[in-house]
Amino acid sequence: MAKVQGCCVSDAPARQLSLRGVRNLRTPSAGTSSGIVVNQEMADCSVEGSMRPGSEKKFCLPNGLFSSWCNSGVMSLLRPLLLDVVPTIQQTAALALGRLANYNDDLAEAVVKGDILPQLVCSLSEQNRFYKKAAAFVLRAVGKHSPQLAQAIVHCGALEMLVICLEDFDPGVKEAASWALGYIARHNSELSQAVVDAGAVPLLVLCIQEPEIALKRIAASTLSDISKHSPELAQTVVDAGAIAHLAQMILNPDAKLKRQVLSALSQIAKHSVDLAELVVEAEIFPVVLTCLKDSDEYVKKNGATLIREIAKHTPELSQLIVNAGGVAAVIDCIGSCRGTVRLPGIMMLGYVAAHSENLSMAVIVSKGIPPLCACLIEEPEDHIKAAAAWALGQVGRHTPEHARAVAVANVLPTLLAMYMDTRSSEDLQMKTKKALKNILQKCTYLPALEPLLHDAPPNIMKHIVGQFSKVLPHDSKARRLFVTTGGLKKVQEIKAEPGSLLQEYINTINNCYPEEIVRYYSPGYSEILLERVENYHPVL
């Protein structure tokens, strides 16, 4: 009886049944013990293909034992089956390898060490479309785990074969190849450059023009993964004509495609002013603003991210977004969603406000401060709170008018409380401190500052007292109110280092009042008065 790679040809049904066990590897349900469920037949199958027929009974192996079992036995069983004379066995063996490699990086590394990749790559150009898809799945499953495993795929010459698959007639083969290339390119710029050097980008741009939605999605995702690493890689994608085709798909009804399209445009626009301008020139405004009202939260998030990446570069680009109604649309988006979906919109408002007084005022006029304050209070995640604090600081840092607009929203006590809260992350404390400093240095609206006198630490107190020292000498009504509300009394209680800036500010405030008023509100003055009363001898 003829044998091929240690397997009997007549045993093809047995090999197919045994492969079904590995192909159907799955994690157990919640009701089973921790492990992986495999068919009993796989345990009974030897390399010669002999198998003891039996029932479909299944059993579980613990995760650690499963890895050892697979590394020591299954790879050597599956490798010769890739060269089996029966095409379905070849395909099923490749699919089984892919699912093993997809499970964790140890099994993926076992596939690499078993010299399976060169065998797959050699077969890619010769086999049918089903095998090509299965082989591309193995390459994707191996490459997704780490840059080192992705580099192993590059070393075995897989990129060239995957690029050839991008020209295949079957859209499923193109999709599988594009997916594998994306998982390789996403790790770092070197691997992404290798994908570019293999000639993948022009073919990926052709793929996004194909009618199949699934192929469009994966090709757009891969272009995004290539573009994200450096301006040079993004420029390569631009030079292939990707922007125009991506921009045309912003209004596609498929939400998953819109996610990838918006992501790809974001990754291109983020690198430089020139690239951002090229994206804008594709006439994405005001079309992209409709994505901020999409029912899919990821479409909203990616749409806001694209606007953010454009706005951050220059005042001119931010002004273009304002003129298109982008600030108001982002503010509405922030108010209608929760969690990380808000984050790019929050940052976009901060970038716009940071550029100039006029742009910051556009955020204020569009009623952007209340949603930012809501994010600061409502969101449980510190990094979102930190972004909101930073954005508020950018809005309020320009002039007293800007600072007042933030202060009247009663957000300063919240910022101070978060800065002083020991449970706040280091980044949140840093962002709230910077925001407070930015706003306080411009704020002349004293009623918003006075509550902070009672709780602020010395490093914040000097900015608060400093603002009082600037306003009180020139405003008699403010001086009177400062006394009646207890502000002057609180200033006298502050213990400042002699000769410090804080002490200078206190002296400036005290000089705004008669000496007896300052003494009256100084700590211990009541005891002095009582002592004088006790020592006073009335003249009868």
Side-chain angles (χ1 to χ4, degrees):
M1 184 179 298
K3 290 187 178 183
V4 178
Q5 294 292 326
C7 294
C8 299
V9 174
S10 63
D11 286 336
R15 295 197 300 282
Q16 286 176 308
L17 186 56
S18 68
L19 277 167
R20 186 173 62 194
V22 180
R23 185 185 63 191
N24 291 332
L25 288 174
R26 61 179 177 86
T27 54
S29 62
T32 63
S33 61
S34 176
I36 300 296
V37 180
V38 295
N39 283 343
Q40 178 70 48
E41 285 83 353
M42 190 62 219
D44 295 335
C45 178
S46 68
V47 73
E48 286 81 13
S50 61
M51 187 184 72
R52 186 171 66 252
S55 66
E56 293 282 338
K57 183 174 68 174
K58 297 183 178 180
F59 66 99
C60 284
L61 288 172
N63 287 334
L65 291 178
F66 174 76
S67 298
S68 301
W69 178 75
C70 288
N71 289 339
S72 61
V74 170
M75 301 303 175
S76 59
L77 287 172
L78 291 174
R79 186 184 178 201
L81 296 179
L82 292 172
L83 298 177
D84 200 278
V85 294
V86 180
T88 54
I89 290 178
Q90 296 175 17
Q91 298 153 22
T92 309
L95 185 60
L97 284 166
R99 292 188 176 175
L100 288 169
N102 193 57
Y103 180 69
N104 64 30
D105 52 354
D106 291 334
L107 295 176
E109 191 171 345
V111 172
V112 173
K113 290 179 178 178
D115 288 330
I116 292 171
L117 295 182
Q119 194 167 313
L120 283 169
V121 171
C122 291
S123 304
L124 262 175
S125 60
E126 304 167 359
Q127 297 288 350
N128 61 31
R129 60 194 175 100
F130 301 106
Y131 183 87
K132 288 179 181 178
K133 285 189 279 188
F137 170 57
V138 177
L139 296 173
R140 167 166 64 92
V142 171
K144 79 171 191 177
H145 293 289
S146 70
Q148 293 75 22
L149 289 170
Q151 190 63 54
I153 294 174
V154 175
H155 284 323
C156 72
L159 292 183
E160 290 73 14
M161 302 313 315
L162 288 170
V163 169
I164 291 173
C165 288
L166 290 177
E167 300 181 273
D168 197 274
F169 179 76
D170 183 77
V173 174
K174 292 179 182 179
E175 180 186 341
S178 177
W179 209 341
L181 289 168
Y183 270 71
I184 294 168
R186 68 175 49 182
H187 289 294
N188 57 48
S189 57
E190 290 77 14
L191 289 166
S192 191
Q193 187 64 54
V195 171
V196 170
D197 293 341
V201 172
L203 295 172
L204 288 168
V205 173
L206 289 175
C207 286
I208 63 174
Q209 302 173 58
E210 295 286 347
E212 290 80 13
I213 292 295
L215 178 55
K216 286 177 180 285
R217 291 176 192 158
I218 303 303
S221 174
T222 303
L223 289 172
S224 176
D225 288 330
I226 292 171
S227 301
K228 71 181 181 181
H229 297 292
S230 70
E232 293 76 20
L233 288 165
Q235 188 64 55
T236 302
V237 173
V238 171
D239 292 342
I243 289 179
H245 299 294
L246 290 168
Q248 290 173 2
M249 292 186 284
I250 290 176
L251 290 180
N252 191 289
D254 184 79
K256 291 181 180 178
L257 175 57
K258 282 192 286 189
R259 293 180 194 174
Q260 304 305 332
V261 166
L262 293 168
S263 174
L265 290 171
S266 301
Q267 299 295 356
I268 293 170
K270 75 178 185 180
H271 292 291
S272 69
V273 177
D274 292 338
L275 289 170
E277 288 177 346
L278 288 172
V279 172
V280 170
E281 287 170 6
E283 299 182 354
I284 65 168
F285 290 105
V287 176
V288 72
L289 301 182
T290 61
C291 297
L292 300 179
K293 297 181 179 179
D294 199 276
S295 58
D296 186 280
E297 299 233 311
Y298 289 101
V299 172
K300 284 184 182 179
K301 183 177 180 180
N302 290 359
T305 301
L306 173 56
I307 300 170
R308 178 194 70 191
E309 298 299 349
I310 294 170
K312 74 180 184 182
H313 290 294
T314 65
E316 292 75 21
L317 286 171
S318 287
Q319 188 64 58
L320 183 148
I321 293 169
V322 171
N323 295 343
V327 167
V330 168
I331 290 170
D332 289 342
C333 178
I334 292 173
S336 66
C337 55
R338 295 290 183 272
T340 56
V341 181
R342 283 174 154 178
L343 185 58
I346 293 170
M347 295 180 68
M348 177 267 181
L349 294 178
Y351 280 128
V352 170
H355 283 304
S356 70
E357 294 178 15
N358 290 337
L359 288 168
S360 181
M361 188 55 68
V363 174
I364 294 171
V365 170
S366 299
K367 300 181 179 178
I369 293 176
L372 289 174
C373 295
C375 293
L376 193 66
I377 297 168
E378 296 171 359
E379 291 298 330
E381 298 292 334
D382 277 5
H383 68 282
I384 301 177
K385 291 180 179 179
W390 170 79
L392 287 166
Q394 298 306 312
V395 173
R397 73 182 180 89
H398 296 284
T399 68
E401 186 179 1
H402 292 80
R404 177 174 179 145
V406 177
V408 296
N410 199 33
V411 74
L412 296 181
T414 303
L415 289 170
L416 181 62
M418 289 182 178
Y419 170 63
M420 297 178 65
D421 191 342
T422 55
R423 295 170 297 177
S424 296
S425 67
E426 183 178 349
D427 181 58
L428 177 56
Q429 289 180 327
M430 183 182 71
K431 293 290 197 305
T432 50
K433 177 185 176 182
K434 183 66 175 175
L436 281 168
K437 182 178 178 182
N438 285 343
I439 298 165
L440 291 173
Q441 287 179 336
K442 294 293 182 180
C443 185
T444 56
Y445 182 61
L446 301 187
L449 299 181
E450 198 163 318
L452 306 182
L453 286 171
H454 301 279
D455 301 311
N459 60 333
I460 300 296
M461 184 68 76
K462 67 180 180 181
H463 299 297
I464 302 169
V465 176
Q467 291 307 107
F468 280 103
S469 72
K470 293 175 185 176
V471 176
L472 292 177
H474 310 288
D475 191 334
S476 59
K477 290 183 179 179
R479 289 197 296 271
R480 178 184 175 87
L481 190 64
F482 192 58
V483 173
T484 57
T485 57
L488 183 61
K489 182 176 184 296
K490 179 60 183 176
V491 167
Q492 306 312 310
E493 296 171 357
I494 297 173
K495 296 178 181 179
E497 293 288 333
S500 66
L501 188 60
L502 178 57
Q503 185 62 58
E504 290 181 18
Y505 291 149
I506 293 173
N507 292 340
T508 302
I509 293 172
N510 289 342
N511 290 335
C512 295
Y513 297 93
E515 185 178 349
E516 59 269 22
I517 295 294
V518 175
R519 284 203 308 268
Y520 179 78
Y521 286 105
S522 298
Y525 186 67
S526 59
E527 285 77 8
I528 295 174
L529 288 177
L530 287 173
E531 185 178 347
R532 289 178 61 182
V533 169
E534 290 176 359
N535 296 330
Y536 181 74
H537 299 286
V539 178
L540 300 176

